[in-house]
């Protein structure tokens, strides 16, 4: 089978099946219950869904100095703090010693084998995953050169596979590059390609010290908050990664406090972020993610002040909500984030997670994002360059020097939508960490 690169000669796969709609509307039972009373006399400050919240949490202060009074949440669940001897029987004490910059890639690889070696797909890569799904890697020098002419180095993160005489692309690129590829190569299925976000150019936010009560939290050997996480979302080919990460953080924070936690809408979160950023246009632009989200604490503050609405009112795959802005805002007022966002250093991330709090992560991307297999383990020998943009996700735990990260590229990516990123990769990724200190 010969493939042609010109638009005139290349076959056109007119059966462009779009990715199936996410089955992410598990909260249908919430759909009608509160509609009749949502525009009554509830003030934004009142969150009757939060009866156990701190009385002082109604007026969150954006000043970092307010974080000094924060107390870690009282979460009594041993499942969140795995016993290394039980959960990782092949691990050694060295696997749980902190990497202070002395670990080599070989050290990480050996540790991964002891920590994750019992995983059903340990050692898997994106290439072996595709082969198990019936694809054949299509490595053609002509295509490599042509792709790299569109965006230098693009074949580091986009790979072609053949199935049933058709070509399919997997990996990730920036949105504008994806549009160029789709216009130029109409016969290739780009429906499996994920999206990163170009840097916005704002200066990074300097990390702040933890409040005393948090700084004194005992660091656990392992933390895993996934028990309380909502299902992994799928941002599709949009720039909503940070909106998904912050919405996942809001859902997790409510679930940890035993509050009603329906699936919430990253699209309305993005709509509010754009209003805060000054680049809000319309609903479809919010759904697309626009130019992405600013870093720092401001996005978290939006969810503290306003909350976000349920996903039934604005599903992830819909460019438009099912109701008007007043309905969305009224619904969002029931689902605020009772927390304080705080930019922190990498060495404080384990302390925050040990307190039972998630951490928003923004980092440079690298080839590992497109090569990770079903074991979810990132390659410690490949530092992320950021050449192909940045990406936002949510840190929800760690095992030794591997951090458990919830992504928003669907459950077909990584370990059911999660990955395990070595500390040395995060250290080299120009990462920004914003702790979500629960109240």
């Amino acid at each position: 089978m010969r493939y042609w690169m010109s638009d005139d000669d290349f076959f056109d796969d007119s059966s462009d099946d779009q990715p199936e709609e996410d089955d992410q509307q598990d909260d249908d039972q919430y759909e009608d219950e509160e509609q009749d009373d949502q525009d009554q006399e509830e003030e934004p400050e009142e969150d009757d869904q939060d009866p156990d919240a701190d009385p002082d949490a109604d007026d969150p202060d954006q000043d970092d100095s307010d974080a000094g009074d924060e107390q870690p949440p009282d979460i009594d669940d041993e499942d969140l703090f795995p016993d290394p001897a039980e959960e990782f029987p092949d691990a050694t004490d060295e696997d749980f010693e902190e990497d202070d910059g002395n670990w080599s890639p070989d050290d990480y690889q050996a540790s991964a084998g002891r920590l994750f070696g019992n995983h059903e797909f340990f050692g898997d890569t994106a290439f072996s995953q595709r082969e198990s799904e019936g694809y054949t890697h299509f490595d053609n020098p002509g295509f490599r050169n042509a792709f790299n002419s569109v965006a230098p180095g693009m074949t580091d993160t986009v790979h072609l596979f053949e199935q049933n005489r058709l070509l399919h692309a997997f990996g990730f690129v920036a949105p504008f590059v994806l549009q160029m590829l789709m216009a130029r190569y109409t016969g290739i299925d780009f429906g499996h390609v994920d999206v990163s976000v170009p840097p916005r150019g704002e200066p990074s936010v300097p990390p702040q010290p933890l409040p005393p009560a948090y700084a004194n939290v005992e660091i656990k050997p392992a933390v895993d908050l996934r028990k309380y996480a909502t299902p992994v979302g799928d941002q599709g080919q949009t720039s909503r990664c940070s909106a998904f990460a912050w919405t996942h953080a809001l859902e997790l924070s409510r679930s940890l406090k035993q509050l009603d936690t329906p699936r919430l809408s990253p699209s309305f979160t993005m709509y509010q972020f754009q209003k805060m950023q000054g680049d809000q246009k319309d609903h479809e632009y919010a759904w697309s993610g626009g130019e992405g989200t600013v870093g720092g604490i401001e996005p978290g503050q939006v969810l503290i002040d306003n909350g976000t609405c349920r996903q039934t009112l604005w599903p992830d795959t819909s460019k438009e909500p099912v109701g008007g802005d007043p309905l969305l805002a009224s619904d969002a007022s029931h689902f605020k984030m009772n927390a304080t966002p705080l930019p922190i250093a990498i060495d404080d991330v384990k302390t925050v997670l040990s307190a039972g709090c998630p951490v928003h992560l923004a980092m440079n991307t690298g080839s590992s994002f497109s090569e990770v297999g079903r074991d979810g383990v990132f390659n410690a020998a490949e530092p992320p360059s950021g050449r192909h943009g940045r990406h936002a996700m949510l840190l929800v735990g760690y095992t030794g020097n591997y951090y458990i990260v919830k992504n928003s590229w669907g459950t077909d990516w990584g370990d059911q939508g999660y990955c395990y990123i070595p500390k040395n990769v995060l250290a080299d990724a120009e990462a920004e960490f914003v702790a979500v200190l629960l109240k």
Side-chain angles (χ1 to χ4, degrees):
M1 183 69 181
R2 188 176 183 186
Y3 298 93
W4 301 93
M5 294 194 299
S6 69
D7 289 340
D8 293 334
D9 296 329
F10 201 97
F11 67 85
D12 187 358
D13 176 16
S14 57
S15 63
D16 259 323
D17 290 333
Q18 297 299 318
E20 306 93 9
E21 286 195 4
D22 300 338
D23 187 17
Q24 297 183 355
Q25 301 181 23
D26 312 80
D27 55 329
D28 288 343
Q29 69 269 29
Y30 295 89
E31 190 162 19
D32 301 314
E33 294 176 1
E34 296 176 336
Q35 296 301 314
D36 294 334
D37 61 355
Q38 280 174 354
D39 4 300
Q40 301 302 316
E41 59 249 356
E42 297 176 13
E43 294 296 325
E45 293 81 15
E46 297 178 6
D47 189 351
D48 50 28
Q49 306 270 338
D50 254 350
D52 298 322
D54 250 344
D56 298 330
D58 292 333
D59 185 22
D61 189 345
Q62 193 166 340
D63 186 343
D64 290 339
S65 62
D66 184 56
D69 298 328
E70 297 300 328
Q71 296 291 325
D74 184 13
I75 300 175
D76 185 17
D77 189 341
E78 293 182 357
D79 290 344
L80 303 185
F81 311 109
D83 182 344
E86 295 180 3
E87 297 294 326
F88 313 103
D90 297 328
T92 65
D93 291 342
E94 288 77 11
D95 293 315
F96 298 96
E97 292 179 359
E98 189 70 15
D99 174 19
D100 292 326
N102 298 320
W103 280 37
S104 69
D106 289 341
D107 292 331
Y108 273 99
Q109 184 62 30
S111 183
R114 294 188 291 267
L115 294 172
F116 308 112
N118 292 328
H119 192 288
E120 177 185 4
F121 295 108
F122 181 71
D124 193 34
T125 67
F127 297 96
S128 56
Q129 179 180 354
R130 299 285 88 83
E131 289 172 1
S132 72
E133 295 166 349
Y135 294 92
T136 301
H137 185 214
F138 183 79
D139 188 15
N140 180 281
F143 272 96
R144 285 203 308 271
N145 294 335
F147 274 26
N148 288 331
S149 71
V150 174
M154 187 172 57
T155 51
D156 292 341
T157 63
V158 176
H159 311 287
L160 290 176
F161 294 84
E162 182 183 4
Q163 186 183 66
N164 299 327
R165 298 168 65 87
L166 299 177
L167 287 182
H168 306 263
F170 291 84
F172 74 94
V173 290
F176 69 92
V177 175
L178 178 61
Q179 294 302 316
M180 293 170 61
L181 288 172
M182 294 174 69
R184 183 169 179 178
Y185 300 107
T186 57
I188 299 179
D189 170 24
F190 288 99
H192 303 284
V193 176
D194 293 304
V195 168
S196 59
V197 179
R200 288 180 59 94
E202 291 101 346
S204 60
V205 179
Q208 302 295 319
L210 290 175
Y214 274 89
N216 293 326
V217 168
E218 178 186 359
I219 296 178
K220 307 292 195 300
V223 176
D224 191 344
L225 305 180
R226 284 178 289 185
K227 175 181 178 179
Y228 290 93
T230 52
V232 170
D234 190 343
Q235 69 186 75
Q237 294 175 331
T238 72
S239 302
R240 293 175 293 168
C241 58
S242 188
F244 268 81
W246 277 111
T247 304
H248 283 158
L250 170 54
E251 292 169 340
L252 180 57
S253 69
R254 292 183 59 84
S255 182
L256 284 165
K257 298 183 72 174
Q258 307 295 320
L259 300 174
D260 286 338
T261 310
R263 300 298 305 281
L264 300 175
S265 174
S267 294
F268 188 59
T269 299
M270 189 75 232
Y271 190 60
Q272 297 187 97
F273 286 175
Q274 290 174 343
K275 182 178 181 180
M276 173 268 295
Q277 295 169 174
D279 60 354
Q280 187 185 67
K281 295 181 181 178
D282 53 30
H283 293 139
E284 183 173 348
Y285 185 72
W287 174 85
S288 76
E291 299 300 319
T293 304
V294 299
I297 66 172
E298 285 81 5
Q301 194 66 42
V302 168
L303 295 182
I304 292 167
D305 294 339
N306 304 327
T308 198
C309 71
R310 290 169 293 162
Q311 197 174 106
T312 49
L313 296 179
W314 195 345
D316 289 349
T317 56
S318 299
K319 297 181 180 180
E320 297 287 339
V322 300
D325 287 1
L327 173 62
L328 303 181
S330 176
D331 192 68
S333 69
H334 294 284
F335 305 104
K336 296 181 180 182
M337 187 163 70
N338 193 12
T340 297
L342 184 72
I344 61 173
I346 187 172
D347 289 335
D348 287 329
V349 171
K350 284 188 176 181
T351 303
V352 171
L353 291 168
S354 293
C357 301
V359 178
H360 181 278
L361 164 68
M363 63 179 290
N364 287 341
T365 59
S367 57
S368 287
F369 278 86
S370 65
E371 296 172 357
V372 65
R374 288 165 290 184
D375 62 1
V377 180
F378 267 47
N379 187 345
E382 296 180 4
S385 66
R387 186 179 190 183
H388 303 287
R390 289 175 67 80
H391 190 50
M393 300 176 286
L394 188 68
L395 290 162
V396 296
Y398 61 87
T399 300
N401 285 295
Y402 281 85
Y403 287 84
I404 305 172
V405 185
K406 184 180 184 181
N407 199 359
S408 54
W409 286 354
T411 55
D412 288 337
W413 181 88
D415 183 9
Q416 298 294 312
Y418 288 86
C419 63
Y420 310 100
I421 303 182
K423 182 182 178 182
N424 72 326
V425 170
L426 290 178
D428 291 336
E430 298 182 14
E432 179 185 272
F433 306 95
V434 180
V436 182
L437 304 182
L438 305 184
K439 296 183 178 180

